[in-house]
Amino acid sequence: MIVEVRNVWKFYGKLIANENISMYINEGEIVSLLGPNGAGKTTLVKQIYGELIPDKGEIKVFSKKATDRKVKKLMGVVPQDTEPFGDLTVWDNIYYIGRIKGLSRIQAIKNTEELIERLDLIDEKKKFVRDLSGGLKRRTLIAMALVNNPKLLILDEPTTGLDPEARREVWDLLISLKKEGRSMLLTTHYLDEAERLADRIYLINRKVILEGTPSSLKEKFSTWYEVIDYSSGKILRVKGEEELKKVIMSIQGKFEVKLPSLEEIYLEVIKDVT
């Protein structure tokens, strides 16, 4: 087990940010935290990478405290609302973070060059970050998080503000990193992102509301089928298998049957607990 969170509470004065949260991340797994604004996702993530300390409960990363310096060298973090240093080049941002993380000069140069090539930043390597697009800045941040070759990558809303093409590029990169066996914790507001990337999802709103794989959550909370009748253009909500068979038999042209999306389930569950 890479990360283990046990009964964690975090307070800001009288405000409860995290309430008795327990969760875990296995090796080679992408785990996503979903929840509305103010749900405590970023607070929890900051405790996992050691910026904050729980008021109650315990967090272990690689079987050690998250604040342990040795643990920090095994992590790469892309915080929320952060940009690389605008007055440095792409190359310098990645190289100097590598040095700060304890890499030798030779190893930092080697890792920087490899990441610039892998993340398709060759044409931008000598450009100042302040002159880059949002997507290129985000790729630079991810390269900075990866420069020490971490076993655990933590990404707090890494695609917020990106256009659809840039979001897909980040998705493809994360999928390729997962294939290498890296473990990842991802917070996101995008339901399609969690459904596409995550092995398991924790839906939190101060505390854990639901946990499971995207498919298990859809199966458990799907109380209807969505039938799209392409001949008439109608979209029908149908409850139960018998009723579904009747509707399908009545359609003369092409049709599609879908379970509710993860987004629809999310909205229903959040509505019930807020």
Side-chain angles (χ1 to χ4, degrees):
M1 195 177 296
I2 300 296
V3 175
E4 187 175 9
V5 177
R6 292 198 296 261
N7 308 115
V8 161
W9 293 71
K10 187 65 183 175
F11 303 91
Y12 292 108
K14 294 182 179 180
L15 175 67
I16 301 174
N18 295 147
E19 179 181 340
N20 201 31
I21 289 181
S22 295
M23 60 165 289
Y24 65 92
I25 303 173
N26 289 319
E27 187 173 356
E29 185 178 48
I30 298 181
V31 170
S32 180
L33 300 180
L34 284 178
N37 286 329
K41 302 186 301 296
T42 295
T43 296
L44 179 60
V45 165
K46 285 182 176 181
Q47 292 171 90
I48 291 172
Y49 65 73
E51 183 176 331
L52 296 176
I53 298 173
D55 293 308
K56 294 182 184 179
E58 185 178 38
I59 296 177
K60 290 292 185 69
V61 183
F62 301 107
S63 301
K64 299 179 183 294
K65 289 185 177 181
T67 52
D68 190 304
R69 289 181 63 85
K70 292 180 181 178
V71 168
K72 288 181 177 292
K73 290 184 178 182
L74 300 174
M75 288 192 284
V77 180
V78 179
Q80 187 182 21
D81 298 328
T82 299
E83 289 191 354
F85 298 98
D87 291 333
L88 294 179
T89 64
V90 169
W91 197 95
D92 284 342
N93 266 280
I94 302 168
Y95 169 77
Y96 284 116
I97 284 293
R99 296 288 281 149
I100 289 170
K101 290 183 175 183
L103 299 182
S104 68
R105 179 177 174 275
I106 293 174
Q107 191 65 54
I109 291 173
K110 179 177 182 292
N111 291 6
T112 298
E113 292 293 344
E114 288 176 353
L115 285 166
I116 280 175
E117 182 175 355
R118 178 173 184 181
L119 273 67
D120 197 20
L121 290 166
I122 294 174
D123 293 339
E124 287 76 28
K125 63 185 288 186
K126 295 182 179 180
K127 293 180 181 178
F128 289 108
V129 166
R130 63 172 178 262
D131 299 325
L132 301 182
S133 67
L136 290 171
K137 288 178 181 177
R138 203 60 54 92
R139 268 193 266 168
T140 303
L141 273 176
I142 293 173
M144 292 164 69
L146 290 170
V147 70
N148 59 320
N149 196 27
K151 294 182 178 180
L152 173 64
L153 188 60
I154 298 175
L155 306 109
D156 195 1
E157 298 186 19
T159 63
T160 296
L162 299 185
D163 60 54
E165 182 179 358
R167 282 183 68 208
R168 294 281 176 171
E169 289 176 357
V170 173
W171 290 4
D172 291 342
L173 172 61
L174 298 184
I175 290 170
S176 69
L177 292 171
K178 182 192 170 186
K179 290 178 179 177
E180 296 174 1
R182 295 183 198 266
S183 306
M184 281 175 266
L185 176 61
L186 169 73
T187 76
T188 179
H189 285 299
Y190 300 116
L191 278 294
D192 58 335
E193 186 163 273
E195 192 165 4
R196 172 75 178 271
L197 297 176
D199 296 292
R200 286 186 304 109
I201 292 170
Y202 287 89
L203 175 55
I204 71 170
N205 191 14
R206 193 174 67 182
K207 56 187 176 182
V208 175
I209 307 300
L210 292 174
E211 182 268 332
T213 65
S215 59
S216 71
L217 292 178
K218 291 176 74 171
E219 182 179 359
K220 182 176 181 180
F221 292 94
S222 296
T223 59
W224 73 90
Y225 295 92
E226 185 177 87
V227 181
I228 304 172
D229 181 353
Y230 289 109
S231 60
S232 66
K234 292 181 178 179
I235 300 176
L236 308 170
R237 276 192 174 188
V238 181
K239 288 195 173 184
E241 282 75 11
E242 291 302 319
E243 186 66 24
L244 178 64
K245 291 177 185 177
K246 292 178 183 178
V247 170
I248 290 174
M249 293 297 290
S250 69
I251 297 176
Q252 300 301 314
K254 292 183 177 181
F255 64 90
E256 182 179 357
V257 179
K258 299 193 299 182
L259 287 171
S261 69
L262 192 60
E263 182 170 4
E264 289 171 306
I265 293 170
Y266 167 85
L267 292 173
E268 287 292 324
V269 171
I270 285 294
K271 183 176 67 176
D272 290 340
V273 299
T274 54

